[in-house]
Amino acid sequence: MALRINDKAPDFTAATSVGTINFHEWMGDGWAMLFSHPKDFTPVCATELGYVAQLSGEFAKRGCKVIGLSVDRVEDHLKWASDIEDLAGTKLNFPLIADDGLDIAKLYDMLPADDDDTSVGRTAVDNQTVRVVFLIAPDKTIKMNLAYPMSTGRDLSELLRVLDSVQLTANYRVVTPGNWKQGEDVIILPAVDNDEAKELFPEGWDTVKPYLRKVKA
């Protein structure tokens, strides 16, 4: 079954580059971002993992853990980690899940349930749909899933921007406009009428259209 926004993120126990983890227990009470990759030793994915490692402090200050998944074995992950460190200039400082049985890729609807049950003999092209980022809230619900083609590296600044927006809008009755960045004006939820808005935003707002009321974050 396809996973949608606000669905519960499936739990699993799996081997990783730092030992066996239970996903929900590993998350704890915070946020998590899960990056999936079709195969180890692929060039685009290597650069992505390197950038994630470089930005680990940005995720940490937002209270968000990061974890990768690749359709290969732990032994391969550990060898690949050395290449990633060479490329990024920093160690792979987050777990990389081994999915050599394709179990998690299927659990998260990135591969068909009737596909193979082993990564042996499969190429990155066979696993090309395992290119999804899931943002998961503390209540273990999915707040974003974003799929990328193999040819296009992920934009880490965009993923941080989405994280900022989702965390802000989870706590306040606002939404963020197109191209929004942290610190810029936000939009009052249409469901908030003007009487309630006066209580929530006593300093006022700018009414652009009756349904579009901008307010300082």
Side-chain angles (χ1 to χ4, degrees):
M1 182 179 295
L3 292 174
R4 299 180 176 87
I5 301 298
N6 290 326
D7 282 350
K8 186 73 73 173
D11 195 15
F12 57 84
T13 298
T16 79
S17 56
V18 299
T20 300
I21 67 162
N22 173 268
F23 184 53
H24 284 185
E25 288 181 4
W26 173 84
M27 274 188 64
D29 297 325
W31 294 77
M33 196 170 282
L34 169 64
F35 300 81
S36 67
H37 305 273
K39 196 165 184 64
D40 291 2
F41 306 105
T42 50
V44 173
C45 295
T47 62
E48 291 172 339
L49 290 171
Y51 282 124
V52 175
Q54 290 174 348
L55 291 171
S56 60
E58 291 297 320
F59 285 99
K61 76 182 185 182
R62 292 165 169 81
C64 182
K65 292 182 175 181
V66 294
I67 191 166
L69 175 148
S70 187
V71 182
D72 262 314
R73 305 169 304 163
V74 168
E75 303 95 284
D76 297 314
H77 289 359
L78 296 175
K79 293 175 184 175
W80 195 25
S82 178
D83 289 351
I84 293 164
E85 182 178 350
D86 287 343
L87 291 167
T90 188
K91 288 185 179 295
L92 190 68
N93 45 28
F94 54 89
L96 190 55
I97 300 163
D99 195 24
D100 45 317
L102 314 183
D103 300 311
I104 303 165
K106 293 177 182 179
L107 184 65
Y108 274 72
D109 195 40
M110 295 182 283
L111 286 174
D114 60 355
D115 225 341
D116 295 339
D117 58 5
T118 177
S119 63
V120 176
R122 293 177 66 94
T123 68
V125 173
D126 295 325
N127 306 328
Q128 62 185 294
T129 53
V130 188
R131 286 278 293 155
V132 185
V133 185
F134 295 92
L135 175 59
I136 302 164
D139 65 359
K140 310 302 185 291
T141 58
I142 295 169
K143 296 306 178 186
M144 177 204 74
N145 55 1
L146 187 58
Y148 282 77
M150 287 202 307
S151 58
T152 305
R154 290 173 253 216
D155 184 341
L156 274 297
S157 61
E158 167 63 7
L159 297 179
L160 286 171
R161 189 187 78 87
V162 174
L163 177 57
D164 287 338
S165 172
V166 171
Q167 289 184 334
L168 175 67
T169 57
N171 294 314
Y172 300 95
R173 303 201 68 191
V174 296
V175 291
T176 57
N179 290 333
W180 175 87
K181 294 182 179 62
Q182 194 173 45
E184 295 181 347
D185 289 355
V186 295
I187 297 170
I188 301 172
L189 271 173
V192 175
D193 63 29
N194 285 340
D195 288 336
E196 184 181 1
K198 289 175 184 176
E199 296 180 7
L200 295 173
F201 310 103
E203 295 183 4
W205 59 85
D206 177 24
T207 300
V208 182
K209 296 287 183 182
Y211 55 85
L212 176 54
R213 296 163 295 171
K214 288 191 172 183
V215 65
K216 293 189 180 302

